[in-house]
Amino acid sequence: MTATAAPAVLDRDGLNALVAALVAQGRTVVGPTVRDGAIVLAELASADELPFGWGVELDAGRYRLVSREDGAAFAHSSGPQSWKSYLHPSRERLWSADRTPAGDIRFTPHEPDPPSYAFLGVRPCDLRAIAIQDRVLTGGRYEDTGYGKRRAGAFLIVAECTEPGATCFCVSTGGGPAADPGYDLALTEVVDEDGHRFLVRVGSEEGAKLLERLPHRTADPATEATARTAVDTARDRMGRALPPVDLRALMGASLDAERWNDVASRCLTCGNCTMVCPTCFCTTTEEVTDLTGDHTERWQRWDSCFDLDFSHLHGGPVRSSGRSRYRQWLTHKLSTWHDQFDTTGCVGCGRCIVWCPAGIDITEEVTALDAELTGSAADADHAAFRTEPD
Amino acid sequence: MTAVPVPHRVVARRPETADTVTLCLEPVGAALPDFAPGQFAMVHSFGRGEIPVSASSVQATGGLAHTIRSVGAVSDGLCATRVGDVVGLRGPYGNTWELERAHGADVLVVAGGIGLAPLRPLILTALDGRKAYGRVNVLIGARTPDDLIVRKEIESWPTTFTGVTVDQPADGWRGDVGVVTQLLGRARFAPDNTWAFVCGPEPMIRAAARELAEHGVPRDRVRVSLERNMRCATGHCGHCQFGPLLLCQVGPVVDWAHAEPLLSVREL
Ligand SMILES: Cc1cc2nc3c(=O)[nH]c(=O)nc-3n(C[C@H](O)[C@H](O)[C@H](O)COP(=O)(O)OP(=O)(O)OC[C@H]3O[C@@H](n4cnc5c(N)ncnc54)[C@H](O)[C@@H]3O)c2cc1C
Ligand code: SF4
Ligand code: SF4
C-alpha cells in the first residue's frame, strides 16, 4: 500500500481512460465481454466492450445471460473461463530438441517474452485462485518459470462482487465478495441515482501511479458507504454453501463412503469441472516430431484427473473407476491440497457446478458426504489422510 | 516445468534380461548435480518422450547408470539405444533412501524384479562404507532366473547374507523358489535395530513391509520406494499424487508408517 491509498472514484469515462492507459502502456488488456451467449474473457481494446447491462442466471448445469436495466458492467459472476487460460495456458511449448549431423542432440528451452497482461474485472474468488496457482506453480522447490514470468508482469484489477450468483459459495471456502490483498487496483461498481461509477482502492505502487494519470476524484462518503454495503450484503446472498465442518477431516474419513458410488453413477468423467476450475493446474506432456525426424518438441497441455490415462502405470491405471476419480478430484480440492500446498483448492466460484453437463454440485456432494458420515457410527478406522509426509 | 534435458552419451550398454538393459551415461557437456541412491532422472528418448527412471548407479558408485525395462514407447526407445547414442536427462529428482540414518544399525534390503535397480546404489554404498553399518542383508526375488538383473554382480557382494529366490525355477536353478519374504527367516538382523529398504511391484512391497513389521522392525524404519505416473518431476503436473503425497517431491521413498494407510485405500 502507498500513501495515495485513499479510495477514489472513477466514472465511466475514467474506466475508459483506465483501459486506454493500459493499452497505451503496451499491455494486453483482458476482461469480460459478451460473446456467443456467454460472458467470456477476451482481449479488450476499450472499456466499451465490457458486458454493460448483462447479468447471468446460473444453476447446476445451466448458464443464461440476462439483460439488466442498470447497465452495470460487473454484475455477473464467473463465466466459463478463468485467468488460468492466460497465466497457465492450455497448451505451451516447453522445449525443443534437434539431432545434429554428428548424432548429438541439442535441447533448446522455449522461453518467449510473455505479453504484459492487465486483467480487468478479476473476481475476489479468482484473485484467490491466482494466489493458489502461484503457490502451486512457483511456491515449491521448483518454479514453473513460464508461469512465473507471465504472472510477474500481470497487472490485476479486481471487481468486487455485489451480485453473487446462485452457484457462488466463496464465503464458505474462507473467502468473500471483498478483495483480499494482491491486486493493483480494486473496483466496486456503484449504480444509483447519483450515477454509474466505480469506487477504486489502490493495492500497489503501480496501481497508484496508474490511478494518478486517470480522471478521478477522491471518494465521497456516500459512494464509499454504498459500495461497502453492496459488498457486505453480497456476503449474505451466496447462492450456495459448503457445510460448516472440518472439510479436511470429512474427506479423510469419507474415503470409503457410499456416496462416491452415487455420484459416480451420474458423473460422465468428462473433466469439464477441471477445465473450468480456476485452481486446477494439472498438465501432461506430449512429444511432437516433424517429418524429418530430426526435430522434436515437448508440449505441455492441461490434463484432467478424470482422464483414465492420468494415473497410467505399466499394467493399467491406478484409478480405473469413475468413483475413484471423482473422489480424487474432490478430496484433492478440499483436503490433500492443504497437505501439498498449505491452502484449500476450492475458492467457491461455482464454475464446476454450472458447467457440469450432469449438473453435479460440489456443495451438494459434500453435504451428502457429511450426512453419510454423521449418520454412520463414527468409525475411526479411516485415518489415511491424517498421516503427514516426512 | 522448466528444466531442459541435459545431453548424456551412452558409454556402456549391458543387457540384463530379455527386456531390460543398463545404460551407463556420461554427460556430453555440462554435468548434472550428483545423484544419491533412491533418486531418479527424467530420461528423454528423442521423438518418443520422457519417463522417470531411478539411478541404478550414481556418480559415487562408479558413474551414473539407469536400468530400464522395456514396457512401452519411451522405455523401448531407451532400451534400443546403442553405445555412442545420446539421450536427455533431467534430475536428480525425488528424495533418497536416507541410508545414512542406518549408521550403526543392521541393513535389510528387499528387492523384487527391477526394484533391485534403485536399491543397487544403496547396496554398493553400504558395502563401500561397511564399517558404518551392522549386518547387511540383501533379499532378492524375481519371477524366473532369467528375470534377475545384475546377476553376476550379486554373487560378488560381501554382504552378511544374500538370498535370491524365484517364483518359477528353470532347468539348472539350484536356488530358492518362492516369494522373497520367505528369505527373511535366514537373514541376520536385530529387528529393533534395523533399517529396511524395499522396492518392487506394489503387492510385493506390501507383503514385505507387513512381514518386516511383524518381525518387529519399526514401521518408520521400513523405507519403501513407490511408483506413480510422473510427467514433470517438479511438482507441477499433478500426476504423481498419492493421497496427501506429491510423490515426486516427498518421495519416491516413503516410510511404511506413512505408506501403509494410503496403500490400504483401493484406487487411491
Ligand atoms: C520414481 C520412478 C522410478 C522408476 N524407475 C524405473 C527404473 O529404474 N527402471 C524402469 O524400467 N522403470 C522405472 N520406472 C517406471 C517407468 O517410468 C515406466 O515403466 C515408464 O514410464 C513406462 O513408459 P513407456 O512409455 O515406456 O510405457 P507406456 O506404458 O507405454 O507408457 C505410456 C506413457 O505413460 C507414461 N508412463 C507410464 N508409466 C509411467 C510411470 N510410472 N511414470 C510416469 N509415466 C509413466 C509414460 O510417459 C509414457 O509415455 C520408474 C517410475 C518411477 C515413477
Ligand atoms: S463432475 Fe460433471 S463436469 Fe466433472 S467430470 Fe463428472 S460429469 Fe464432468
Ligand atoms: S472446485 Fe468448483 S467451485 Fe471450487 S474453485 Fe474449482 S470450479 Fe470453483
Side-chain angles (χ1 to χ4, degrees):
Chain A
M1 283 286 198
T2 63
T4 53
V9 170
L10 290 181
D11 56 17
R12 276 202 52 175
D13 288 341
L15 193 67
N16 280 328
L18 170 65
V19 175
L22 290 165
V23 170
Q25 284 179 356
R27 287 187 178 271
T28 301
V29 181
V30 183
T33 191
V34 172
R35 183 184 294 167
D36 302 330
I39 293 175
V40 300
L41 297 179
E43 187 171 343
L44 304 179
S46 102
D48 292 337
E49 293 168 75
L50 290 167
F52 289 104
W54 288 104
V56 289
E57 227 173 64
L58 306 175
D59 205 342
R62 186 186 149 87
Y63 182 100
R64 293 287 180 277
L65 279 186
V66 288
S67 66
R68 295 176 60 94
E69 308 247 294
D70 64 1
F74 298 111
H76 53 86
S77 36
S78 357
Q81 297 141 304
S82 71
W83 309 95
K84 79 174 179 184
S85 304
Y86 297 91
L87 294 175
H88 185 45
S90 58
R91 265 178 78 75
E92 187 179 7
R93 184 166 60 194
L94 299 174
W95 42 266
S96 59
D98 292 278
R99 219 195 296 267
T100 68
D104 284 347
I105 297 173
R106 214 179 34 240
F107 293 92
T108 315
H110 184 64
E111 291 171 334
D113 284 329
S116 113
Y117 286 120
F119 295 158
L120 173 59
V122 179
R123 293 296 167 183
C125 60
D126 281 349
L127 186 68
R128 282 177 84 207
I130 291 171
I132 291 172
Q133 286 214 328
D134 288 351
R135 275 191 114 104
V136 172
L137 297 172
T138 61
R141 194 178 337 158
Y142 303 95
E143 177 178 334
D144 179 332
T145 50
Y147 178 93
K149 268 176 144 176
R150 287 184 292 270
R151 175 67 178 90
F155 186 87
L156 305 184
I157 306 165
V158 161
E160 294 193 310
C161 287
T162 52
E163 204 62 55
T167 49
C168 288
F169 59 99
C170 60
V171 170
S172 62
T173 66
D180 290 338
Y183 54 81
D184 293 289
L185 293 175
L187 310 180
T188 315
E189 189 170 28
V190 177
V191 194
D192 59 15
E193 53 283 5
D194 295 330
H196 191 168
R197 56 209 191 278
F198 304 86
L199 180 77
V200 188
R201 280 178 298 137
V202 168
S204 74
E205 201 74 52
E206 214 185 336
K209 272 198 207 127
L210 183 68
L211 180 62
E212 263 164 40
R213 295 170 37 205
L214 306 176
H216 70 278
R217 54 191 154 85
T218 307
D220 53 289
T223 301
E224 264 197 85
T226 312
R228 187 148 308 142
T229 309
V231 174
D232 283 349
T233 50
R235 267 192 91 75
D236 304 325
R237 294 196 293 134
M238 291 289 131
R240 281 168 162 75
L242 288 171
V245 299
D246 179 344
L247 297 169
R248 293 180 72 180
L250 172 61
M251 291 298 122
S254 296
L255 298 178
D256 294 325
E258 249 325 290
R259 183 70 184 187
W260 304 120
N261 293 330
D262 185 282
V263 66
S265 72
R266 290 172 280 132
C267 174
L268 314 171
T269 66
C270 67
N272 264 15
C273 46
T274 57
M275 297 294 113
V276 296
C277 177
T279 67
C280 274
F281 59 86
C282 291
T283 53
T284 188
T285 37
E286 318 178 313
E287 188 92 357
V288 182
T289 41
D290 72 357
L291 286 175
T292 68
D294 289 330
H295 177 77
T296 188
E297 296 185 346
R298 198 80 185 144
W299 284 77
Q300 173 180 282
R301 63 168 175 79
W302 287 354
D303 202 0
S304 171
C305 55
F306 283 93
D307 193 297
L308 194 53
D309 274 344
F310 189 86
S311 62
H312 172 90
L313 283 183
H314 172 62
V318 174
R319 293 186 281 275
S320 52
S321 68
R323 164 194 162 92
S324 67
R325 280 176 272 154
Y326 188 87
R327 181 183 67 187
Q328 164 63 27
W329 182 68
L330 193 65
T331 54
H332 189 217
K333 286 275 156 223
L334 300 180
S335 173
T336 53
W337 209 291
H338 289 276
D339 299 287
Q340 296 162 8
F341 308 111
D342 219 6
T343 162
T344 174
C346 175
V347 296
C349 71
R351 287 183 176 89
C352 57
I353 305 173
V354 173
W355 300 99
C356 173
I360 292 170
D361 176 345
I362 180 173
T363 63
E364 189 183 321
E365 295 313 314
V366 176
T367 305
L369 286 165
D370 182 43
E372 181 177 340
L373 187 73
T374 327
S376 73
D379 173 353
D381 219 22
H382 310 278
F385 283 1
R386 304 234 181 94
T387 55
E388 297 292 335
D390 323 358
Chain B
M1 186 176 18
T2 50
V4 168
V6 173
H8 279 67
R9 198 175 304 282
V10 178
V11 293
R13 179 183 184 280
R14 206 169 53 229
E16 299 285 355
T17 72
D19 62 7
T20 304
V21 299
T22 295
L23 303 177
C24 300
L25 301 168
E26 275 177 12
V28 172
L32 292 173
D34 282 358
F35 284 62
Q39 289 189 300
F40 65 96
M42 291 300 285
V43 188
H44 181 244
S45 171
F46 192 89
R48 292 178 182 245
E50 226 185 4
I51 54 170
V53 187
S54 304
S56 62
S57 171
V58 297
Q59 287 84 353
T61 60
L64 192 59
H66 291 284
T67 302
I68 304 169
R69 179 161 166 235
S70 166
V71 296
V74 182
S75 50
D76 284 357
L78 292 170
C79 286
T81 53
R82 288 160 308 178
V83 172
D85 285 353
V86 175
V87 299
L89 236 61
R90 293 190 286 128
Y93 290 122
N95 65 352
T96 79
W97 289 111
E98 294 172 10
L99 172 66
E100 58 288 349
R101 287 163 74 187
H103 279 174
D106 292 338
V107 171
L108 185 59
V109 171
V110 187
I114 192 154
L116 179 56
L119 285 163
R120 181 170 168 253
L122 173 141
I123 296 166
L124 297 176
T125 307
L127 294 175
D128 201 36
R130 193 70 180 76
K131 285 200 194 72
Y133 307 94
R135 290 162 288 192
V136 176
N137 299 270
V138 177
L139 319 184
I140 298 166
R143 264 183 311 139
T144 73
D146 289 340
D147 292 309
L148 279 169
I149 63 167
V150 296
R151 199 168 162 179
K152 282 263 133 37
E153 188 181 312
I154 293 171
E155 293 160 22
S156 71
W157 288 338
T159 61
T160 312
F161 171 75
T162 301
V164 180
T165 178
V166 299
D167 297 333
Q168 299 149 26
D171 283 350
W173 177 254
R174 289 193 305 270
D176 288 274
V177 177
V179 293
V180 67
T181 45
Q182 75 184 29
L183 298 172
L184 270 177
R186 276 186 279 152
R188 302 204 348 246
F189 61 103
D192 57 353
N193 189 29
T194 291
W195 282 80
F197 303 93
V198 185
C199 188
E202 221 162 271
M204 174 253 148
I205 291 181
R206 288 168 206 261
R210 281 188 190 141
E211 285 209 29
L212 286 165
E214 278 164 27
H215 272 77
V217 181
R219 294 192 320 153
D220 58 356
R221 291 185 175 201
V222 177
R223 309 265 295 157
V224 305
S225 184
L226 299 174
E227 178 183 347
R228 283 296 177 269
N229 194 301
M230 290 179 189
R231 312 300 312 193
C232 72
T234 52
H236 302 141
C237 79
H239 281 256
C240 68
Q241 283 177 71
F242 180 43
L245 311 180
L246 261 185
L247 213 54
C248 75
Q249 300 300 292
V250 300
V253 184
V254 181
D255 289 350
W256 182 240
H258 290 131
E260 185 178 27
L262 299 174
L263 281 173
S264 72
V265 181
R266 277 195 61 209
E267 295 193 281
L268 192 66

